[in-house]
Structure formats: structure tokens, C-alpha cells
């Protein structure tokens, strides 16, 4: 796509930055901290930084710091496509102009290997701290955090094609670093894995690598064994006519990230924000649902167009929008579930208590029915699907749940011998305490 904005490109070594910062501080003792930080690299100019830290695959680091950089800025890592570069990503997307408006810092990693594709296939790339490109990108983030006192709770990744695949990899390798990601025309984490040194996986690109949600989720969890903390949210984009990374990969990504985030694969809401687009949200209905997926009818691999980054920014929560926001999330919730069985039938009763501090306006309760149970009717909510992992969505009259308030819903079901109560409760994507 043709560049729409050009600025001078400058190169500044980390060593030079380290030498200049004390001098600048001495010359501007009365200046506010933000002004000193703004001088670390030239403002409003794409700048290359060298010597930024561990960099096993010799990536280049480009950074854009707006003139109005925030006191503790968010950080967006914008990852280029195959044959691309950091400067091409800078000039061909609107992330720099969005940074001007919202005060965050943008990192543009750039590949130096001949293919200009990111490594999303080697065993080293697919584990935390394993080496290759993810380690270098993590070093770039660390440099920005040190230099600009960036907000470590607001670090995001986005990318196109190879960059979208790297977005999946980064969120899998470093779930404790990233708050969310947006992948434009990518594949699931681990789908491109190879062991022969090849960068290309034809089975994955052709859309023939099909796994269960649990299998996809286990690949992500294996990248950082033992990690039990929160996982980053994911926004996914794909064209139905993609002939480079075929469309089945979109569904596999959805399976992976809904499993990783522990939310139902049944959409909480489906809409069409633009003609030819189908948007599904999982785990919540607001702008910052755990997983958001946008399918573009009849669109090929090069789906990215101007304006899509703004939608990703809204998903990240960086646009300061006063429009529809995320569903209020409870700090905690409690569920009590009982059943009353006879022969091959039962009734179930579920009481949901909001033990958090925010009022819920609209809720979805996820739970898992024991094997052999099938819901035949219900009250207080709509239930879908009727067996297995079920999502109960509030009725029109009980969607508001204030802190400390509770609501009771119920259902009828058949069973084949196991009449136990359901388990695995989540309220708007947050795990609930049973009992």
C-alpha cells in the first residue's frame, strides 16, 4: 500500500542515548521529567535504536515517540509482513498518527534475514526465552520501558501476515508482558512449527492443520510452562478468500484463544460493523471482550486497510473512547448450583452472586454440564448450546447485577445416569467460586 506519511529517518545508538541523557538532565534540571524523556530519541521522527539488548537474530529496532508522549506511555509493537520492514510498517499504517493523538510509543521491529519474514516456526521461537526473534522484540520493549518509564500493564502487539503470526507467538511466549494483541491475516500459535529449519509450513498455510481447542491451547501453555497468571486478550482478522494463509486458520485461531482465555466458543454476540464484515465476540459483548474475531467476506490475504488500526486501538482500550466500552467485569463472583433428579430427567438451579465492586449491565454465565446431560428448557436466561460447554445469557429483566446482588436461573435437562450439578463457572469471562 502506498505510504501516506513520511518523516525523516534517524539512527541513534543506545550507547549514545545513555551518554546524552545525563547531559540533558544536567542542562535541564528544572524541566519536568516528561520533557527529559522526550529527548531520549527525536520526537515525532522514526528513529533506529541499536544496542538495545539481547538480540539473537539480529533484528533492527525502530521506534516512534510522539511529541506529546504520555508520562507513563503505553507501548504498541507493530510487526511487519514478509518482504516488509519496520519503516514500511511505519509509513503504510496509521500507528504513528494514532500515537500522535494518544501519546503512546510505537516499536517497529525489522527483520534482516533474506526472506524478511519473522521466525514463527523454529523451536527456539515457540518458547519463552528460547531465542530468535521473540527475544529480540522483548529486548526492544524492555528498552522502551527503561527509557520512557512505560506502563508495563499497557503493552500491546499487532501485525500483518508474518507479523500477525508473530503477534500470536509473542502473546504465547510472553503472556505476562502483553495486555492484548491484534492479528491481521495470521495463523494460530504453533501452527507454522517446523523442525527442519524451514520458515514455511505448507500444511498450515493451506488450512489443513486442524486441532481441538484443548490441543491448540496446550501449545500456547507449553510455551511458558507453569505460568498461571492472566492471559492477553486477542483480536483476530481474516478474509474468506485468503489464498496465502487460508481461511480455516481463522477458525483455528478462535478455537485456540477462547481455550487459552477460558471462555465459551459460542459467541456472546455477533454483528456486522461494516458491510461484508462479520464480527463475533467471545466471553463478553463489549469492545474489549476476551476474544474478538472479524471475518471479511470475499477479501483476500491483503486485507489491511486504513482505519483498521483504529478498531484495534479501541480493542486495546487506548483510544479514550466515550462510546461503548467493555462489559463491566466483576472482581469476583460466586455460584451455587444444585440439581433435583428423577429417572432420566432433572431440574437445575443456579444462583449467581456478583462479589465484585462493579455493577454488571448484561452478563453471560459459562459452565460445563456433566456428560450425558442435555438441557430441554430453562428460565431466567437463554442457554446455548444445550450440552457440554454452555453459555447462559441474561433475560431482559435480570441483566443488571449490582455488587453483592444475586440472581437465580434454572433449567430442565435429561441425563443418562449422571445427574450432578454443572462445574467450571465463568461470569463474563471471569472465573467464579463455587459454593
Amino acid at each position: 500500500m502506498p505510504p501516506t506519511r513520511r518523516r525523516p529517518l534517524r539512527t541513534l545508538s543506545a550507547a549514545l542515548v545513555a551518554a546524552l541523557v545525563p547531559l540533558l538532565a544536567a542542562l535541564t534540571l528544572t524541566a519536568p521529567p516528561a520533557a527529559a524523556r522526550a529527548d531520549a530519541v527525536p520526537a515525532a521522527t522514526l528513529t533506529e535504536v541499536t544496542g538495545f539488548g539481547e538480540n539473537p537474530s539480529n533484528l533492527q529496532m525502530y521506534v516512534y515517540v510522539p511529541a506529546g508522549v504520555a508520562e507513563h506511555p503505553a507501548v504498541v509493537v507493530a510487526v511487519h509482513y514478509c518482504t516488509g520492514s519496520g519503516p514500511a510498517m511505519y509509513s503504510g499504517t496509521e500507528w504513528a498518527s494514532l500515537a500522535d493523538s494518544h501519546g503512546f510509543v510505537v516499536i517497529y521491529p525489522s527483520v534482516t534475514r533474506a526472506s524478511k519474514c519473522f521466525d514463527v516456526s523454529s523451536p527456539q521461537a515457540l518458547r519463552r526465552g528460547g531465542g530468535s526473534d521473540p527475544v529480540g522484540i522483548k529486548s526492544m520493549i524492555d528498552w522502551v520501558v527503561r527509557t520512557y518509564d512505560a506502563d508495563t500493564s499497557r503493552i500491546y502487539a499487532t501485525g500483518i501476515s508474518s507479523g500477525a503470526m508473530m503477534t500470536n507467538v509473542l502473546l504465547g511466549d510472553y503472556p505476562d508482558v502483553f495486555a492484548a494483541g491484534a492479528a491481521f491475516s495470521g495463523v494460530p500459535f504453533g501452527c507454522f512449527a517446523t523442525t527442519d529449519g524451514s520458515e514455511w509450513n505448507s500444511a498450515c498455510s493451506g488450512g489443513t492443520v486442524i486441532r481441538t481447542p484443548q490441543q491448540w491451547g496446550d501449545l500456547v501453555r507449553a510455551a511458558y510452562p507453569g505460568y498461571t497468571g492472566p492471559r492477553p486478550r486477542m483480536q483476530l482478522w481474516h478474509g474468506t478468500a485468503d489464498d496465502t494463509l487460508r481461511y480455516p486458520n481463522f477458525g483455528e485461531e478462535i478455537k485456540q484463544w477462547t481455550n487459552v482465555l477460558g471462555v465459551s466458543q459460542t459467541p456472546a454476540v455477533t454483528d456486522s460493523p461494516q458491510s461484508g464484515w462479520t464480527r463475533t465476540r467471545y466471553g463478553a459483548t463489549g469492545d474489549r471482550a476476551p476474544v474478538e474475531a472479524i471475518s471479511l467476506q470475499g477479501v483476500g490475504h491483503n486485507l489491511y486497510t486504513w482505519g483498521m488500526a483504529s478498531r484495534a486501538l479501541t480493542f486495546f482500550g487506548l483510544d479514550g473512547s466515550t462510546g461503548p466500552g467493555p462489559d463491566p467485569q466483576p472482581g469476583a463472583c460466586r455460584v451455587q448450583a444444585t440439581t433435583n433428579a428423577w429417572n432420566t430427567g432433572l431440574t437445575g438451579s443456579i444462583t449467581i452472586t456478583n462479589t465484585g465492586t462493579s455493577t454488571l449491565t448484561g452478563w453471560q454465565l459459562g459452565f460445563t454440564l456433566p456428560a450425558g446431560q442435555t438441557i430441554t428448557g430453562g428460565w431466567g436466561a437463554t442457554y446455548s448450546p444445550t450440552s457440554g460447554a454452555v453459555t447462559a445469557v441474561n433475560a431482559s429483566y435480570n441483566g443488571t447485577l449490582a455488587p453483592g446482588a444475586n440472581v437465580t436461573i434454572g433449567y430442565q435437562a435429561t441425563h443418562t445416569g449422571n445427574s450432578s450439578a454443572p462445574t467450571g463457572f465463568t461470569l463474563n469471562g471471569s472465573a467464579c467460586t463455587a459454593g
Side-chain angles (χ1 to χ4, degrees):
M1 61 188 68
T4 59
R5 54 189 292 136
R6 297 182 183 274
R7 294 182 174 88
L9 172 62
R10 301 184 185 177
T11 300
L12 196 66
S13 73
L16 181 57
V17 169
L20 286 175
V21 168
L23 176 60
L24 290 168
L27 293 173
T28 58
L29 291 175
T30 60
R37 290 185 297 110
D39 289 334
V41 299
T45 302
L46 184 66
T47 304
E48 183 180 2
V49 175
T50 61
F52 49 83
E54 186 178 0
N55 185 23
S57 55
N58 195 33
L59 297 177
Q60 292 175 286
M61 174 185 177
Y62 296 90
V63 65
Y64 180 82
V65 179
V69 64
E71 183 70 18
H72 299 287
V75 180
V76 174
V77 181
V79 194
H80 67 74
Y81 42 88
C82 280
T83 75
S85 67
M89 192 71 174
Y90 161 78
S91 62
T93 67
E94 66 267 45
W95 284 108
S97 62
L98 291 171
D100 288 337
S101 299
H102 301 287
F104 57 84
V105 175
V106 190
I107 298 170
Y108 298 94
S110 197
V111 169
T112 58
R113 64 177 62 89
S115 67
K116 303 299 184 183
C117 296
F118 285 91
D119 176 13
V120 296
S121 57
S122 75
Q124 292 77 19
L126 296 175
R127 67 177 186 271
R128 178 187 179 85
S132 195
D133 295 347
V135 169
I137 294 172
K138 173 62 162 55
S139 295
M140 298 177 195
I141 295 168
D142 291 342
W143 186 91
V144 171
V145 169
R146 291 192 307 269
T147 305
Y148 288 93
D149 195 18
D151 185 347
T152 57
S153 70
R154 296 189 300 147
I155 297 175
Y156 306 87
T158 185
I160 301 169
S161 189
S162 178
M165 293 192 277
M166 178 52 72
T167 297
N168 278 267
V169 169
L170 289 171
L171 268 61
D173 284 357
Y174 296 102
D176 54 332
V177 172
F178 294 96
F184 296 84
S185 302
V187 303
F189 177 101
C191 184
F192 243 58
T194 60
T195 56
D196 60 0
S198 172
E199 294 180 34
W200 191 258
N201 185 318
S202 296
C204 179
S205 64
T208 62
V209 178
I210 308 298
R211 294 189 170 100
T212 66
Q214 184 69 34
Q215 289 171 329
W216 281 125
D218 286 346
L219 285 177
V220 171
R221 288 181 284 269
Y224 187 5
Y227 178 72
T228 58
R231 296 276 177 174
R233 297 176 298 108
M234 177 63 94
Q235 184 187 63
L236 304 165
W237 299 72
H238 222 103
T240 63
D242 192 328
D243 59 2
T244 301
L245 300 173
R246 293 189 178 273
Y247 187 65
N249 283 301
F250 181 60
E252 299 305 295
E253 285 180 294
I254 294 171
K255 286 158 60 174
Q256 182 171 69
W257 291 105
T258 52
N259 179 268
V260 167
L261 287 159
V263 299
S264 173
Q265 291 178 57
T266 302
V269 66
T270 301
D271 64 4
S272 181
Q274 187 167 311
S275 178
W277 293 15
T278 301
R279 178 173 62 188
T280 48
R281 288 168 168 168
Y282 302 83
T285 61
D287 287 338
R288 297 191 285 280
V291 178
E292 179 174 275
I294 302 97
S295 172
L296 282 67
Q297 183 63 38
V299 175
H301 185 63
N302 296 322
L303 65 75
Y304 182 86
T305 59
W306 214 259
M308 289 180 176
S310 293
R311 292 182 179 271
L313 196 75
T314 297
F315 179 75
F316 292 167
L318 292 180
D319 63 352
S321 173
T322 56
D327 289 342
Q329 298 293 308
C333 47
R334 184 175 66 252
V335 171
Q336 292 179 306
T338 60
T339 58
N340 183 20
W342 66 91
N343 297 330
T344 59
L346 62 83
T347 59
S349 177
I350 302 173
T351 299
I352 309 159
T353 302
N354 177 7
T355 57
T357 59
S358 300
T359 297
L360 297 179
T361 305
W363 50 262
Q364 297 88 40
L365 180 73
F367 58 86
T368 301
L369 287 174
Q373 290 189 18
T374 301
I375 292 174
T376 57
W379 53 93
T382 56
Y383 300 83
S384 178
T386 57
S387 60
V390 177
T391 298
V393 180
N394 66 271
S396 59
Y397 56 83
N398 64 2
T400 300
L401 198 57
N406 61 65
V407 61
T408 298
I409 61 176
Y411 59 90
Q412 293 178 320
T414 58
H415 67 87
T416 57
N418 186 346
S419 60
S420 299
T423 56
F425 295 98
T426 60
L427 186 62
N428 287 1
S430 296
C432 293
T433 302

